[in-house]
Amino acid sequence: MAASSSRQQTNGAAKFTDSENGQRHPAGMSGFLADLPDQIRQAASRIRPHIVETPLLLSPTLSKRTCAQVYLKLENRQHTGSFKLRGATNKLLNLTVEERARGVVTASTGNHALAVAHAATLLNVKATIFLPEAASPRKVEKLEAFPVALCRTPGDALNAEISARQAALQRSQPFISPYNDLHIIAGQGTIAVELLRQQPQLAAVFVTVGGGGLMGGMASCLNASHRAIQTFGCQPENSAVMLASVRAGRIVETESLPTLSDGSAGGIEPHSVTYDLCQNHVDRWLTVSEAEIATAMRLIHRESGERIEGAAGVAVASLLKTGKRFAGQRVAVVICGGNVDSDSWQQVLEQGD
């Protein structure tokens, strides 16, 4: 299943207005789109001392299956096991001294929470984290090792986010959005800065899309490079909310079924700026089944021993679904994280091929 969307070129500098909870939003969307690539480059310099520049490694197995040169951007080797540390670190470094002193609030299925916990501990900032009940046990266990307050909430990630925003407002603390924030998006986009340096001759990049922060930042940066790099937005069939929204021309609510890609599951916040970025900058969309995700996870493990999470499997499965579209060319797949809990991993292995 695929859908295409056109890119729109915008000009002008972004102007920002401060709003509640330390959040900063663009005064004009066209200015926001134009300014984001520069914000990403600044973020890359800002967070460099605090993150790992993750490796980009050739995958012989995927290359053989697609007749392309397939490279894996291993964000599962980031300090917290996922790309989320980039955005969280950039956001906290952009807070004022007064905002940091008040402490921060966030919500996450796990990876963003781990990133905020790590960055907050590093910068000596108190953090309260709201988690949906279905959050990965492995991620929760990791969170408990940090000096942060954890609050479990019923429902999915969107419900946890609503509860967190209410708490942040009541406490007058900055809310650290998992995706709907310029500094978060800019931080995630730094992966593209590294990709362009590590392999400048890419024909396409495959990225899993949840709330759209990773794809929004990366696609904006890649488009601004003026290189003919196609961006593929990848989602699980069981929770393809961003794709449904792009097709509808507005953010919509759709049912999210259980998925191995728990890190990308759930709804999108109303008026999220990531929707516009995904609508304007993603070239093609692909969805994959749960069986395809599991197969991709096993494939990567057999080849390299890397234990990747379901969200990363979505991007790998999407590449495999395109067949030999990029035969003879170089493509990259973002392995967005490796924090898969033991029970889920065991189920993936037991399914077998």
Side-chain angles (χ1 to χ4, degrees), residues 270-281:
H271 311 298
S272 174
V273 294
T274 57
Y275 163 76
D276 295 87
L277 292 170
C278 288
Q279 183 187 56
N280 295 335
H281 290 285

Side-chain angles (χ1 to χ4, degrees), residues 5 10 44 59 129 142 279 281 323:
S5 58
T10 57
S59 167
I129 299 170
K142 285 188 174 184
Q279 183 187 56
H281 290 285

Side-chain angles (χ1 to χ4, degrees), residues 294 298 342-353:
R298 290 192 297 271
S342 298
D343 289 342
S344 295
W345 181 248
Q346 190 59 38
Q347 290 176 12
V348 168
L349 293 180
E350 289 174 354
Q351 290 178 24
D353 286 327

Side-chain angles (χ1 to χ4, degrees), residues 295-318:
T295 295
M297 294 169 72
R298 290 192 297 271
L299 185 154
I300 296 299
H301 186 253
R302 284 199 302 268
E303 177 183 65
S304 63
E306 302 281 348
R307 197 164 99 162
I308 67 173
E309 61 188 69
V314 168
V316 175
S318 296

Side-chain angles (χ1 to χ4, degrees), residues 39-55:
Q39 293 287 334
I40 293 170
R41 287 188 289 270
Q42 292 179 35
S45 297
R46 185 181 298 115
I47 69 176
R48 186 174 297 123
H50 308 293
I51 67 160
V52 173
E53 178 168 323
T54 53

Side-chain angles (χ1 to χ4, degrees), residues 9-350:
Q9 187 66 32
T10 57
N11 296 294
K15 297 182 180 179
F16 298 92
T17 56
D18 291 322
S19 62
E20 63 186 17
N21 305 330
Q23 198 85 338
R24 287 165 64 84
H25 297 284
M29 180 54 63
S30 62
F32 174 76
L33 291 173
D35 189 58
L36 184 55
D38 185 57
Q39 293 287 334
I40 293 170
R41 287 188 289 270
Q42 292 179 35
S45 297
R46 185 181 298 115
I47 69 176
R48 186 174 297 123
H50 308 293
I51 67 160
V52 173
E53 178 168 323
T54 53
L56 182 69
L57 302 182
L58 183 70
S59 167
T61 300
L62 292 176
S63 297
K64 182 178 180 179
R65 291 201 180 191
T66 61
C67 296
Q69 292 183 43
V70 180
Y71 294 87
L72 304 179
K73 181 61 171 166
L74 299 179
E75 284 296 299
N76 58 307
R77 296 190 187 180
Q78 193 53 260
H79 287 310
T80 57
S82 90
F83 74 95
K84 291 284 190 176
L85 183 61
R86 296 171 181 269
T89 302
N90 191 48
K91 177 61 179 179
L92 265 63
L93 287 172
N94 273 282
L95 293 178
T96 66
V97 173
E98 292 181 351
E99 288 170 337
R100 291 187 201 175
R102 293 202 300 268
V104 299
V105 179
T106 194
S108 169
T109 55
N111 282 334
H112 175 68
L114 285 169
V116 171
H118 181 100
T121 301
L122 182 68
L123 299 173
N124 196 28
V125 177
K126 292 182 179 179
T128 301
I129 299 170
F130 285 73
L131 296 164
E133 288 179 336
S136 162
R138 184 183 184 194
K139 294 170 185 175
V140 174
E141 183 180 0
K142 285 188 174 184
L143 278 171
E144 291 173 341
F146 290 96
V148 299
L150 301 180
C151 299
R152 305 297 288 269
T153 61
D156 65 8
L158 185 58
N159 290 331
E161 186 172 327
I162 291 171
S163 298
R165 283 188 178 276
Q166 292 173 341
L169 182 60
Q170 292 170 357
R171 303 171 187 178
S172 297
Q173 293 176 319
F175 173 75
I176 311 300
S177 172
Y179 55 88
N180 187 21
D181 182 282
L182 169 64
H183 298 307
I184 294 291
I185 296 168
Q188 321 303 29
T190 61
I191 295 175
V193 175
E194 292 179 12
L195 269 180
L196 292 171
R197 182 171 62 251
Q198 293 169 322
Q199 181 49 260
Q201 297 180 333
L202 290 172
V205 177
F206 291 75
V207 182
T208 300
V209 180
L214 173 60
M215 174 54 93
M218 288 193 64
S220 297
C221 182
L222 293 172
N223 291 173
S225 72
H226 302 295
R227 306 181 200 187
I229 302 174
Q230 292 189 54
T231 51
F232 281 74
C234 312
Q235 295 203 285
E237 291 175 358
N238 282 5
S239 187
V241 182
M242 185 62 82
L243 173 55
S245 298
V246 168
R247 285 176 166 169
R250 59 183 175 83
I251 295 175
V252 298
E253 294 184 12
T254 61
E255 181 182 11
S256 288
L257 301 175
T259 175
L260 285 167
S261 184
D262 63 304
S264 70
I268 304 168
E269 180 185 348
H271 311 298
S272 174
V273 294
T274 57
Y275 163 76
D276 295 87
L277 292 170
C278 288
Q279 183 187 56
N280 295 335
H281 290 285
V282 178
D283 292 302
R284 293 184 63 84
W285 292 88
L286 293 165
T287 61
V288 292
S289 69
E290 294 302 297
E292 289 170 323
I293 297 169
T295 295
M297 294 169 72
R298 290 192 297 271
L299 185 154
I300 296 299
H301 186 253
R302 284 199 302 268
E303 177 183 65
S304 63
E306 302 281 348
R307 197 164 99 162
I308 67 173
E309 61 188 69
V314 168
V316 175
S318 296
L319 167 73
L320 291 171
K321 201 164 188 174
T322 65
K324 299 180 179 180
R325 176 193 298 269
F326 295 103
Q329 301 181 73
R330 299 175 185 179
V331 301
V333 180
V334 177
I335 304 299
C336 56
N339 293 319
V340 56
D341 66 77
S342 298
D343 289 342
S344 295
W345 181 248
Q346 190 59 38
Q347 290 176 12
V348 168
L349 293 180
E350 289 174 354

